[in-house]
Amino acid sequence: MALATSLNASGGIDTAELRPGLADPVHDSQHIFRGLLTALAHPGRPVTLPGDVAGPEPLDPATTAVALTLLDYDTPLWIDWIADTPPLRAYLKFHCGCPLVERSQDAAFGLVTDPENMPRLALFAQGRDQYPDSSASLLLQVPSLEEGPAVTLKGPGIRETATIRPAGLPDWFWNDWRLNAAQFPLGVDIFFTCGRSVVGLPRSILAEG
Amino acid sequence: MYVAVKGGEQAILNSHKLIAEERRGDTEVPELSLAQIKEQMQLAVDRVMTEGSLYDRDLAALAIKQAQGDLLEAIFLLRAYRTTLTRFGESEPIDTSCMAVRRRISAAYKDLPGGQVLGPSYDYTHRLLDFALAAEEGVGAPEAEAAEAGVDESIPRVTDILNHEGLIEEETALDGDAGAVADLTREPLRFPAGRDLRLQNLARGDEGFLLALGYSTQRGYGRNHPFAGEIRLGEVAVEFVPEELGFPIELGEITVTECQMINQFAGSAGRPPQFTRGYGLSFGHCERKTMAMALVDRALRARELDETVEYPAQDEEFVLYHSDNVEASGFVQHLKLPHYVDFQSELQLIRSLRRRHDEEQQEAAE
Amino acid sequence: MSAAQQQATEGDDGYNFAYLDEQTKRMIRRCLLKAVAVPGYQVPFGGREMPLPYGWGTGGMQVTASIIGRDDTLKVIDQGADDTTNAVNIRRFFARVAEVPTTESTAEASIVQTRHRVPEDPMREDQIIVYQVPQPEPLRPLEPREIECRKMHAYKEYGLMQVSLYEDIARFGEIATSYSYPVMVGDRYLMSPTPIPKFDNPKMDDFPALQLFGAGREKRIYAIPPYTKVKSLDFDDHPFAVQQWEEDCALCGAEDTFLDEVILDDQGGKMYVCSDSHYCARRRAEGHEGKLSESAARAYAAAVGAAEEEEA
């Protein structure tokens, strides 16, 4: 879709071209949020998100659902180049109103659809000593949650251990995650998304490949 | 048979019926109308709007009626309503130099451009109960010719006059991003707090608390030699820039009281001796509040002016965390809630400590 | 304004579902996720005025309002009891603005909002407990300044607390804290368990349900994920111990619950009953009896000759 068709002449948004957001914003987002809360409270446990919302390419339904549930004008968003298309920009602007930022460091949320080429984890906001909550959360859309190499997780929310198999991550990923976890309470939190599923990986979790 | 204290929904509903009855009082007496409160209890309405953080005379009047005249309760009602309102954005800053002035006094200059306008004020009333007001038939229409109309032309602010000579500090833009004004209705307090956040907190703050703190600075607990540079009351326009238009449109007028205190400042390593400012602003006519606010604002600037922070009014955590009467009233009154469990824990502890104490005494005696 | 913000389901009185507007819920939800990611850390949040006073559960209510949905079942307790006025009032609020079913049964609830107690019945992974928090800062009694406390948390400098507890031991022979007894969460953050009695502290450790904490007036949210280490502070030579009673519950005979002391007369007569009213009622329904259970109570009342009205 060309720029001109999604943005009209005055720079506003042509809503006719937009894909719909959540059918029931109040109750759908509540459902989705509870799914996210469960995913983060039980790291490594795949949670199927309700609400079959079809956002613009290349977003999976789960990625779209998380974006629609968590983003608004208070959350600067960084998106990777594959996702950074006029329809997606228009979609996020209309449904979420979130500002898009150029530099990953400035973002409260990072949206990654091409994990192999994503920025290193340290290039996102890590939080400050006195305000570790000022770090970024990453929505990391992966091609599969079951077909990647097995990684064992330990930490809060996990009774013994949990195993995840996200596919399509860059070579450096789990080494970066080790560094991320080592600087706890600073560091980023991750939601892996694929299809309609989400897996939470908070910074408190240690991973062994 | 022991029955646990049953609060019960019925008890709560009954209690609500009782307050409704008390609120109404003697039904032989005509019921108060909101118009009466709005028109004849204006200063109460103004305080409720200011500390309730919502400029709406009708809702403030309703809150006062609903709260049986308990202004803190009315403020709380208004705040709880305000928080549910959709936020459209920020207005342009109001310009008080373009105020339609109804009252304007300066304690710093005898005469000044624009003149002294006494306007409506209790300042020179003799505080004698006016039994004429008690008359059944009321006092009728007041003498209209005595009431002054708003002075419409723009009157320069006293602090702007001083500014020509560089005698008073410049009103500096906010630190860093001038566009982003802090808003503690959307974000929690953070320290150190910028002046924007402090002023918002003080404007919403309890008048009694600010009055006492301001007074304490005058009595030596953080003295900074204030002069009431100017107090003005009147109407100002509120403008808003809708995103789709890109230029300001006037939404309407609001009444505000503004107080600019001028304070002595001996200078510091980085700054020459000059006057400094303390600022107070309220919705409606809340003169005492704005004066107290200006004193406390100046006291809270101690850090920024390299003054030693040693007194309560200069201590921003102390002032900003305790100024809000909705928070304070709630927390003080929450002591009415049951604390059986904690009290039971303390009972056990104190019994244990006393047993130990007795044993030790006994051992010592033997 | 975005599309989602404009659309809202209006419930009772024209307010949004669960009272809070969607923007506020989103803000609180983001804070809740941060809180879960950093167990025990107090996340500042833009707390809103609620239609109940500060100090009466507004923090817990904002958390509950941000998580609750139409398929939830809510239990609200205060001092362990479902029938105390404030619990009734908060339950009434959510039944009204969120139209959710409410329950007194811990097992049936998907969300339990509590003030000052953890229920006696075990909780499960699929449940959430929301604590109302009057003062989230465990260091506050020792250091009133937010700036200082925040530094201590940032650098895990909790010596002040250790010293204070040790002074207790030196002075009283034991740690003189019976409620709000500080805990370390995940070996990192010192946390106030809210004014629950220290009796309940051990329940927080390795707890299967997600624990969320909301402090409305102080505008902080914090959390303990399931299966997280929560350790009450102590010393090797003075290990942490919970309260114990010499008596059992006079109504249900429970030997292992937190008991409220009930004054029976002005002659020092008293008895002890479970503070968890639902737990106690359930046990009685199952046939458990304490020395003052209904049949015993009748006998007792007859003996002291002051029981006519209760009997009726």
Side-chain angles (χ1 to χ4, degrees), chain B residues 327-349:
Chain B
E327 291 176 4
S329 160
F331 202 51
V332 166
Q333 296 202 66
H334 108 286
L335 293 172
K336 289 184 277 194
L337 290 179
H339 285 78
Y340 319 137
V341 168
D342 297 348
F343 188 70
Q344 179 61 35
S345 301
E346 287 296 272
L347 272 176
Q348 285 209 316
L349 177 66

Side-chain angles (χ1 to χ4, degrees), chain B residues 1-9 12-13 16 76 79-84 86-88 184-192 204 243 315-318 321 324 326-331 333-349 351-353 355-356 360, chain C residues 1 15 19 21 23 44-46 48-56 78-79 83-86 88-89 92 115-117 134 144-147 172-179 195-197 217-220 243-245 251 258-262 270-273 275 284 292 294 297 310:
Chain B
M1 172 64 193
Y2 161 69
V3 180
V5 181
K6 295 246 179 207
E9 187 147 1
I12 295 175
L13 295 177
H16 293 175
F76 180 18
R79 289 265 195 99
Y81 177 78
R82 178 195 192 280
T83 195
T84 66
T86 307
R87 181 190 152 81
F88 291 103
L184 53 78
T185 67
R186 302 172 65 228
E187 285 166 12
L189 273 174
R190 293 205 183 189
F191 296 95
R204 287 159 55 95
E243 206 180 332
D315 183 330
E316 68 178 21
E317 269 204 38
F318 180 80
Y321 264 133
D324 192 297
V326 179
E327 291 176 4
S329 160
F331 202 51
Q333 296 202 66
H334 108 286
L335 293 172
K336 289 184 277 194
L337 290 179
H339 285 78
Y340 319 137
V341 168
D342 297 348
F343 188 70
Q344 179 61 35
S345 301
E346 287 296 272
L347 272 176
Q348 285 209 316
L349 177 66
R351 282 181 186 137
S352 147
L353 295 179
R355 252 195 316 274
R356 196 185 301 272
E360 281 169 7
Chain C
M1 214 184 310
Y15 290 112
Y19 180 77
D21 61 281
Q23 153 65 17
F45 82 109
R48 302 294 197 249
E49 267 104 1
M50 294 297 281
L52 261 66
Y54 283 119
W56 297 56
D78 189 335
Q79 313 298 298
D83 54 8
T84 39
T85 330
N86 201 42
V88 168
N89 205 26
R92 204 169 62 100
R115 177 168 170 265
H116 296 195
R117 277 308 309 276
R145 286 176 195 282
E146 167 67 11
I147 290 182
F172 305 115
E174 64 181 287
I175 293 173
T177 299
S178 58
Y179 62 94
I196 58 169
R217 190 180 41 81
E218 297 281 340
K219 300 177 177 60
R220 297 287 184 271
Q243 290 105 329
Q244 288 180 330
W245 285 260
L251 299 179
F258 187 91
L259 300 177
D260 277 343
E261 182 172 325
V262 179
K270 59 191 173 198
M271 65 171 183
Y272 291 89
V273 297
S275 104
R284 278 179 280 150
L292 264 182
E294 214 146 340
E310 282 91 348

Side-chain angles (χ1 to χ4, degrees), chain B residues 162-177:
Chain B
L162 276 170
N163 226 357
H164 295 313
E165 272 188 78
L167 292 178
I168 192 162
E169 60 177 338
E170 292 278 351
E171 199 73 275
T172 47
L174 300 166
D175 309 340
D177 187 358

Side-chain angles (χ1 to χ4, degrees), chain C residues 130-151:
Chain C
V130 178
Y131 296 81
Q132 300 172 200
V133 185
Q135 177 48 262
E137 181 49 73
L139 295 163
R140 189 71 77 226
L142 308 174
E143 171 53 70
R145 286 176 195 282
E146 167 67 11
I147 290 182
E148 296 305 319
C149 292
R150 194 156 276 279
K151 279 186 204 153

Side-chain angles (χ1 to χ4, degrees), chain C residues 62-80:
Chain C
Q62 288 181 78
V63 169
T64 298
S66 303
I67 64 174
I68 201 164
R70 288 184 290 203
D71 41 10
D72 276 308
T73 302
L74 179 69
K75 170 182 167 81
V76 182
I77 50 173
D78 189 335
Q79 313 298 298

Side-chain angles (χ1 to χ4, degrees), chain A residues 39-195:
Chain A
L40 209 65
H42 297 277
R45 183 183 295 182
V47 175
T48 305
L49 295 183
D52 202 4
V53 53
E57 291 288 327
L59 301 189
D60 282 356
T63 320
T64 310
V66 180
L68 293 176
T69 299
L70 294 183
L71 303 181
D72 57 29
Y73 55 74
D74 282 335
T75 54
L77 174 72
W78 178 90
I79 47 184
D80 67 12
W81 68 276
I82 292 218
D84 191 0
T85 62
L88 188 118
R89 280 183 170 253
Y91 185 83
L92 291 174
K93 182 169 186 201
F94 181 76
H95 289 293
C96 306
C98 56
L100 295 174
V101 294
E102 293 293 319
R103 299 180 344 137
S104 55
Q105 298 93 310
D106 301 333
F109 283 86
L111 174 55
V112 174
T113 58
D114 175 26
E116 272 186 60
N117 295 302
M118 67 180 285
R120 301 294 290 258
L121 296 185
L123 290 176
F124 291 94
Q126 306 290 302
R128 304 191 304 277
D129 287 337
Q130 296 190 25
Y131 294 95
D133 54 304
S134 58
S135 64
S137 303
L138 307 185
L139 313 183
L140 233 168
Q141 181 174 306
V142 294
S144 166
L145 287 168
E146 280 127 36
E147 288 158 18
V151 177
T152 305
L153 309 181
K154 282 180 82 166
I158 304 172
R159 195 164 199 176
E160 304 278 334
T161 60
T163 303
I164 58 170
R165 294 183 169 80
L169 297 175
D171 298 342
W172 50 258
F173 186 86
W174 292 108
N175 194 47
D176 265 27
W177 184 258
R178 195 173 50 77
L179 299 172
N180 190 68
Q183 56 168 345
F184 181 86
L186 305 188
V188 300
D189 306 312
I190 291 178
F191 290 103
F192 292 111
T193 57
C194 181

Side-chain angles (χ1 to χ4, degrees), chain B residues 89-109:
Chain B
E90 281 158 19
S91 74
E92 294 291 288
I94 57 169
D95 184 355
T96 51
S97 69
C98 296
M99 177 188 281
V101 164
R102 284 191 283 132
R103 168 166 165 78
R104 188 264 192 139
I105 56 160
S106 171
Y109 291 105

